[in-house]
Amino acid sequence: MTITTTIAQEKPSRPMRLGALVQKYSTLAVLVVLFLGFAIGTDRFFTGTNLVNILQQISMLTIVAVGLTFGFAAKEMDLSVGYVVGLAGLLAPLLMVAGVPIPLSILAALGAGLAVGLINSTLVVGVGVPSLIATLAAGSILWGINFMISGGRAIYGGIPAEYLAMGQGKVAGILPYPALIMLVIVAGSWFVMERTTFGRYLYAVGGNARAAELSGIKVRSYRVYGLALSSLFAAISGIILSARLGSGQPNGGETYLLDGLAAVFIGMTMLRPGTATVMGTFFGALLIGIMNNGLNLMGMDTYVQSIVKGIIIVIAVSVVSRTTKLKLL
């Protein structure tokens, strides 16, 4: 009897396997249904031009969300990313208008983003402030800094055409550079997270920090890496955003926080439920992009889109929390 019971426990039943498959791929099914629904509902959706446009629209969001994925993998949340986008998107044009060469301006903007991540990680890892609180405070400070250095005005005029081409140009006249940069970042980040020791250690730290520490992993260092990469990727997105807009906007990145978190949470309901993965995040951003694009083509008001995104976040977090007992703090 004992042997039979043990075997029964070790061998999952067919309904359980089916349930796991439904949980794993249900969000992808929603993505496909949305795509088909908009393709049927409006003639302008399923066109080559519009599909490429969707990739361009989600490029900056995806880059921010991939950065957040590194933080989430280490169980750290960064609420300052939207303001880091604004900081980098302001700093690069400001320096270029002042006569600083393009490469140095970009490096300075990236350095500023990385510095924010290191300050956040010092507060979280060194001082012991919860990442939710530390990055929320950092975001408030950055909001003030962004408006202070810009005087509350957009920075435009005098920005080199070579810089603008990074956000407005296209490869072979088809694929926008922001979309190409996004795809390269997604592919590279996927490889790092899924095929390298760094990625395995980062997941180990987020899964069980104590066990990871006993295994010889430098837990504190990997928590720093997660937060630093989150800010660095936000800075990359800010640079691309300013190049695409042709100006630096003090509040240009604020919407990327909510949408970035939504992409990560949605991604955590698929592929490996409860775990932040790069491909899950990409599909989450793609779902948001398809939804926004389709609703726009159907003439839906922006406030309705905001309501829908909020509902999706609540559903996604509820699913992840219920199935994996996820703790965000």
Side-chain angles (χ1 to χ4, degrees):
M1 182 179 298
T2 303
I3 296 176
T4 304
T5 304
T6 303
I7 294 175
Q9 289 174 345
E10 291 179 351
K11 186 176 181 180
S13 63
R14 187 183 185 90
M16 287 179 65
R17 290 200 298 271
L18 179 61
L21 286 173
V22 171
Q23 179 184 338
K24 187 175 182 179
Y25 296 111
S26 59
T27 309
L28 285 174
V30 171
L31 176 62
V32 173
V33 170
L34 271 179
F35 184 91
L36 294 177
F38 287 131
I40 295 171
T42 173
D43 296 335
R44 293 178 294 169
F45 181 82
F46 193 56
T47 63
T49 301
N50 188 59
L51 296 180
V52 170
N53 188 41
I54 291 175
L55 288 179
Q56 179 169 262
Q57 289 172 348
I58 69 169
S59 56
M60 279 77 75
L61 165 62
T62 302
I63 294 170
V64 172
V66 169
L68 285 170
T69 302
F70 281 96
F72 268 76
K75 285 294 185 291
E76 302 292 349
M77 182 183 288
D78 188 350
L79 299 185
S80 66
V81 289
Y83 305 98
V84 175
V85 170
L87 176 65
L90 278 171
L91 190 57
L94 270 173
L95 292 173
M96 283 181 283
V97 170
V100 178
I102 296 175
L104 291 179
S105 299
I106 293 176
L107 285 175
L110 293 175
L114 183 59
V116 172
L118 293 175
I119 292 171
N120 286 340
S121 61
T122 298
L123 292 172
V124 174
V125 180
V127 180
V129 181
S131 59
L132 186 67
I133 305 301
T135 57
L136 180 64
S140 178
I141 294 170
L142 290 174
W143 183 87
I145 291 175
N146 290 346
F147 276 87
M148 183 175 65
I149 65 176
S150 66
R153 304 185 306 273
I155 307 300
Y156 58 90
I159 301 176
E162 294 85 355
Y163 180 78
L164 298 179
M166 180 173 57
Q168 301 172 8
K170 294 183 178 180
V171 179
I174 300 175
L175 184 65
Y177 281 123
L180 175 63
I181 295 170
M182 172 197 69
L183 293 175
V184 170
I185 287 177
V186 168
S189 299
W190 173 86
F191 180 82
V192 169
M193 292 295 286
E194 302 296 334
R195 294 292 184 267
T196 68
T197 301
F198 176 87
R200 290 193 293 271
Y201 282 5
L202 198 64
Y203 279 129
V205 169
N208 190 323
R210 179 58 179 163
E213 188 173 22
L214 292 174
S215 300
I217 299 174
K218 297 179 180 179
V219 171
R220 291 166 62 88
S221 296
Y222 280 88
R223 293 174 65 195
V224 171
Y225 298 152
L227 287 168
L229 287 171
S230 180
S231 290
L232 180 60
F233 277 52
I236 295 173
S237 182
I239 292 169
I240 299 172
L241 177 65
S242 64
R244 182 185 176 192
L245 297 177
S247 64
Q249 305 284 341
N251 59 349
E254 292 181 6
T255 59
Y256 290 108
L257 172 59
L258 177 61
D259 288 354
L261 291 174
V264 177
F265 285 137
I266 293 169
M268 291 173 71
T269 66
M270 63 178 75
L271 303 182
R272 293 208 300 270
T275 301
T277 64
V278 172
M279 290 309 300
T281 294
F282 173 69
F283 285 125
L286 187 60
L287 188 150
I288 293 173
I290 288 174
M291 180 183 65
N292 286 341
N293 182 270
L295 292 177
N296 280 332
L297 292 178
M298 296 178 67
M300 194 74 68
D301 292 322
T302 54
Y303 61 81
V304 175
Q305 297 179 33
S306 181
I307 293 172
V308 172
K309 279 188 287 190
I311 293 173
I312 287 175
I313 292 175
V314 171
I315 293 174
V317 175
S318 298
V319 170
V320 175
S321 298
R322 184 176 180 81
T323 56
T324 66
K325 294 181 173 57
L326 173 69
K327 292 183 180 180
L328 298 178
L329 290 175

